[in-house]
Amino acid sequence: MCTRHRLRCNSTRIACGNILLACNKIKKQLKVNKEVKLYQSNLFSTPFITGIFRPIIFVPEYDFSAKEWDLILTHELIHLKNNDILFKMLLTFIQKLHWFNPIIYFYTKKFYEFCECTCDRNVSAVINKEQRAVYAHLIVKLARDIPASTISVNAFSDKNNKLIKRRICCIMKKTKKSTLRLLLLLHYLLFYHQSLPMGLSLK
């Protein structure tokens, strides 16, 4: 919350223009009813969304094309629609309670990766092959430009090369194979969750 407040105070709100119009258009397409605010700053190098009741999308001061803006906003709004922010906050809370158990850190990492891959799959489902290529290139471009001193957030892209490769393969592959991968990953997560100690149960 402190980081969110600091970022908002040091960012410029996008209150008009083509970016806001694009955001409102994509919200209608995805049937997202919440008000979403947009802020732009040079404090970070990759877009991300934060907030459950009052969501904010933070974007870097890059000269994105109109296609790239649509893909960025679609990605972040799908995170909001899937309630990924809420689930990640709950999982982070459980992680803090079980800080002594290394298994929960591994589980949290896998869950975050699963959320990104699922979001990429949902974005790929509503765009064509040419747009998927732009989307994959955008992820790589932003990952390349992220400096080591960037504020650590779960963002549009990061420097995890293995995850980026997996995300790009997921974006560019056919739906049937992607669905199979999703089912296998879901099975893995559910099985792994059942194998956690009783102290980690969500009940």
Side-chain angles (χ1 to χ4, degrees):
M1 290 178 65
C2 291
T3 302
R4 170 188 163 106
H5 178 72
R6 181 165 61 90
L7 287 174
R8 190 174 57 183
C9 291
N10 291 277
S11 301
T12 303
R13 184 177 177 183
I14 303 174
C16 60
N18 294 332
I19 301 174
L20 186 62
L21 291 175
C23 183
N24 292 332
K25 181 187 70 174
I26 296 169
K27 277 176 57 182
K28 290 182 179 179
Q29 292 173 349
L30 297 176
K31 298 180 180 179
V32 175
N33 298 321
K34 290 184 179 180
E35 180 186 359
V36 181
K37 296 180 180 179
L38 297 170
Y39 282 84
Q40 193 169 29
S41 175
N42 60 0
L43 293 175
F44 35 85
S45 302
T46 182
F48 63 96
I49 188 169
T50 180
I52 298 174
F53 301 107
R54 297 178 180 177
I56 297 176
I57 297 177
F58 289 98
V59 293
E61 291 183 348
Y62 278 5
D63 187 19
F64 295 115
S65 66
K67 291 182 179 179
E68 290 175 334
W69 273 117
D70 287 345
L71 293 169
I72 288 170
L73 295 171
T74 301
H75 178 98
E76 302 304 337
L77 289 172
I78 284 177
H79 272 310
L80 177 63
K81 183 177 180 179
N82 292 345
N83 292 314
D84 289 341
I85 306 169
L86 174 61
F87 292 133
K88 289 173 183 177
M89 288 184 66
L90 290 174
L91 189 56
T92 301
F93 177 71
I94 295 172
Q95 178 183 310
K96 301 309 177 185
L97 290 178
H98 298 271
W99 57 269
F100 52 86
N101 193 333
I103 295 177
I104 192 64
Y105 292 94
F106 179 77
Y107 184 74
T108 301
K109 179 183 176 182
K110 290 299 179 184
F111 180 81
Y112 274 44
E113 292 178 0
F114 171 73
C115 285
E116 290 304 315
C117 290
T118 302
C119 185
D120 291 336
R121 190 172 294 106
N122 291 338
V123 174
S124 300
V126 297
I127 60 178
N128 57 39
K129 188 174 181 180
E130 180 184 353
Q131 290 172 318
R132 289 201 298 269
V134 175
Y135 184 46
H137 180 266
L138 181 61
I139 292 174
V140 174
K141 181 176 72 172
L142 290 174
R144 178 194 61 198
D145 294 340
I146 296 175
S149 59
T150 295
I151 298 172
S152 179
V153 293
N154 186 47
F156 184 89
S157 188
D158 56 37
K159 284 190 171 295
N160 186 336
N161 293 332
K162 290 184 179 179
L163 176 58
I164 290 174
K165 182 179 179 180
R166 188 157 59 248
R167 289 177 64 185
I168 291 174
C169 288
C170 178
I171 292 167
M172 300 307 296
K173 282 188 177 180
K174 294 181 180 179
T175 306
K176 290 184 178 179
K177 291 184 178 180
S178 298
T179 303
L180 178 60
R181 285 175 176 266
L182 173 61
L183 292 174
L184 289 174
L185 184 55
L186 277 171
H187 177 269
Y188 168 76
L189 287 175
L190 290 172
F191 174 81
Y192 192 77
H193 176 70
Q194 293 297 327
S195 67
L196 289 175
M198 292 298 293
L200 295 181
S201 175
L202 293 176
K203 295 182 180 180

